[in-house]
Amino acid sequence: MKTYNELKLAKELIRFPTVKTEDKGIMKFLSRKLSSIGFKCKIIKSKGTGRKPALNLYAKLGNSKPHINFLGHTDVVANLNNWKIPPFKGVVRKGYLNGRGSQDMKGGIACFISAVSNFIKDKKFKGSISIIIAADEETTGLGTPSVIKYLKKIREKIDFSVVAEPSSNKSVGDEIRIGRRGSMNGIISVHGKSGHSAFYGSYINPCTALAKIIAKLKNTSLDNGTKFMPPSNLEFTKMNVENLSENVVPQFATAKFNVRFNSKHKSSYLKKKLNKIINTVARKEKCKTRIEYRVSGEAFYTKPNKEIYMVKKIVKKITGNSSKLNCRGGTSDSRFLGSIPRLELGLRNNTIHMVDERTSISDLKKLTKIYYNILENYF
Ligand SMILES: [Zn+2]
């Protein structure tokens, strides 16, 4: 049986310039690699950023329980000018693998494929291993949901998922993500009554109402945080009043805000709570309001379970790090995994999305060892 070396595979993956949802043959390449170690591969299409669809991969080995999954994405961000080393060559220099995606996250994909290939060659096990690779995590984010939809259709159940996003900060495994805060944007439009500013009583100033609404919202504590997530926070990001005159009270005032909320809230509940505060103030000021929301993601979180503690122990053994379990960082495809217990553990994130992205080769080795041990201990 074939095994794959993580460094060699990472180099090969970097050489596909998969910016936005461009495939460039990478899914075929991965399917070939995984098929030749026994995986059944299925390409699942989703809407791409250009004319061509994005190609995502679901690969599965085995049919029995328990079922462990690895999740990754092959797309990379642009920001490709002014590199000292070409971004799509996979150049190794002074102990580092250079290239776009080396940390985020072709490196992580190479590590889990290498670990899986070595594990199934070395060990007999009962259960299944699957791999989901999305092509659009950095852009449209439709790939992983399409794969999950397909899994629902064929009644496939994943018992535990390892998302290989670069979660590590100063060294591999120092941080493990067990969830993410939710994010919601809102726009408040306050409707008053315009008039001459000299005639107090003849107008209703929406600026006054909006200022009071903002003050009230900022003075309202949403919660005290949870063990793994900080207190929810609402921040105003824009205030706007269209007015060309100095002596006219305007008709409208608007403000935009963003709320980062922890797992104590659902967005639907938060909306109700905020609406109530806003409308109470507005009524007192005799103004009308319109409030619009856009939810980018609900908060989610896997309560530390035996798998998470097992991974923590493995990281300690291999790296010496006592991993912090947290919910930091930007969003990831982990948000699409619904109720599947999961964690995010991958390479460092100190150069992701930057010019001259690179990973140390010893980190690749360490992470592969961690994934191998996860498989060994899981089954
Ligand atoms: Zn990523």
Side-chain angles (χ1 to χ4, degrees):
M1 182 89 79
K2 263 189 211 162
T3 59
Y4 299 116
N5 171 272
E6 66 283 351
L7 175 60
K8 181 162 181 283
L9 186 56
K11 271 191 227 168
E12 290 171 319
L13 293 175
I14 287 170
R15 288 177 189 145
F16 293 90
T18 48
V19 178
K20 290 190 177 161
T21 53
E22 294 273 358
D23 179 70
K24 304 282 183 194
I26 198 166
M27 289 302 172
K28 235 191 194 151
F29 170 83
L30 281 167
S31 303
R32 243 193 347 262
K33 294 270 167 194
L34 289 167
S35 300
S36 59
I37 55 170
F39 277 80
K40 281 201 184 106
C41 297
K42 173 148 179 92
I43 300 279
I44 295 157
K45 289 182 185 167
S46 59
K47 196 177 169 344
T49 50
R51 263 206 242 127
K52 283 188 205 158
L55 305 183
N56 312 283
L57 178 67
Y58 181 65
K60 173 100 189 280
L61 178 82
N63 276 314
S64 52
K65 279 170 77 70
H67 175 179
I68 189 169
N69 166 265
F70 288 92
L71 176 77
H73 66 84
T74 44
D75 57 318
V76 294
V77 295
N79 188 16
L80 301 168
N81 296 327
N82 305 312
W83 283 57
K84 283 192 214 84
I85 298 170
F88 297 116
K89 287 257 160 75
V91 176
V92 169
R93 203 170 282 174
K94 292 182 184 155
Y96 285 86
L97 170 63
N98 297 270
R100 177 55 85 220
S102 52
Q103 283 187 331
D104 187 12
M105 58 165 290
K106 288 170 170 172
I109 292 173
C111 291
F112 67 66
I113 292 180
S114 168
V116 166
S117 71
N118 281 290
F119 175 74
I120 57 182
K121 182 180 147 268
D122 295 350
K123 310 271 174 184
K124 279 218 154 40
F125 68 99
K126 195 182 158 298
S128 358
I129 304 171
S130 72
I131 289 171
I132 296 174
I133 304 207
D136 63 0
E137 193 270 348
E138 305 285 5
T139 55
T140 45
L142 301 170
T144 300
S146 323
V147 176
I148 296 296
K149 205 170 139 197
Y150 166 75
L151 296 186
K152 275 210 177 111
K153 207 177 91 192
I154 62 165
R155 295 178 177 229
E156 189 97 305
K157 189 177 165 281
I158 293 169
D159 298 308
F160 186 64
S161 180
V162 176
V163 180
E165 284 280 3
S167 63
S168 302
N169 182 17
K170 296 221 155 57
S171 70
V172 171
D174 60 352
E175 292 186 22
I176 294 175
R177 308 236 189 287
I178 54 169
R180 282 282 205 279
R181 286 185 299 169
S183 176
M184 178 169 85
N185 295 300
I187 306 175
I188 309 171
S189 317
V190 182
H191 189 164
K193 187 182 168 204
S194 65
H196 193 308
S197 60
F199 292 85
Y200 180 75
S202 71
Y203 52 79
I204 300 168
N205 194 339
C207 300
T208 314
L210 184 60
K212 288 186 181 176
I213 288 168
I214 291 173
K216 183 78 189 171
L217 286 173
K218 285 304 296 175
N219 284 326
T220 306
S221 143
L222 296 171
D223 55 69
N224 301 317
T226 71
K227 192 171 169 204
F228 300 104
M229 296 192 192
S232 303
N233 184 42
L234 182 151
E235 253 351 292
F236 278 89
T237 52
K238 189 175 181 184
M239 290 158 70
N240 191 38
V241 181
E242 294 291 346
N243 194 355
L244 297 172
S245 317
E246 287 176 334
N247 58 356
V248 173
V249 171
Q251 188 97 6
F252 297 101
T254 59
K256 292 187 177 178
F257 62 88
N258 176 257
V259 199
R260 297 286 158 144
F261 55 98
N262 60 41
S263 53
K264 282 188 172 167
H265 303 278
K266 282 251 180 306
S267 63
S268 54
Y269 162 82
L270 255 185
K271 282 180 199 170
K272 273 188 202 148
K273 187 178 164 108
L274 299 178
N275 286 349
K276 202 170 156 192
I277 296 170
I278 295 164
N279 288 326
T280 307
V281 178
R283 246 193 323 272
K284 259 192 210 151
E285 298 297 316
K286 298 190 170 54
C287 285
K288 290 202 181 90
T289 55
R290 210 174 84 190
I291 312 158
E292 289 165 70
Y293 294 100
R294 194 174 56 79
V295 180
S296 341
E298 297 288 342
F300 64 85
Y301 146 75
T302 300
K303 191 167 183 239
N305 57 8
K306 78 175 196 301
E307 282 81 20
I308 290 177
Y309 287 121
M310 168 194 94
V311 173
K312 211 168 135 60
K313 229 164 134 185
I314 290 167
V315 170
K316 176 87 186 168
K317 191 182 87 184
I318 291 168
T319 68
N321 277 328
S322 301
S323 320
K324 265 192 233 117
L325 303 179
N326 67 30
C327 302
R328 281 177 5 110
T331 173
S332 88
D333 275 1
S334 179
R335 75 194 138 129
F336 301 124
L337 296 186
S339 60
I340 298 169
R342 58 199 184 267
L343 54 75
E344 290 181 56
L345 169 61
L347 292 166
R348 292 182 65 196
N349 50 35
N350 58 318
T351 64
I352 63 172
H353 296 208
M354 292 179 188
V355 163
D356 296 321
E357 181 178 347
R358 64 177 196 171
T359 177
S360 95
I361 291 168
S362 71
D363 282 356
L364 289 171
K365 228 183 221 123
K366 259 185 233 161
L367 187 63
T368 305
K369 211 167 164 189
I370 291 171
Y371 291 153
Y372 183 96
N373 274 257
I374 290 176
L375 288 165
E376 203 175 25
N377 281 273
Y378 184 74
F379 291 112

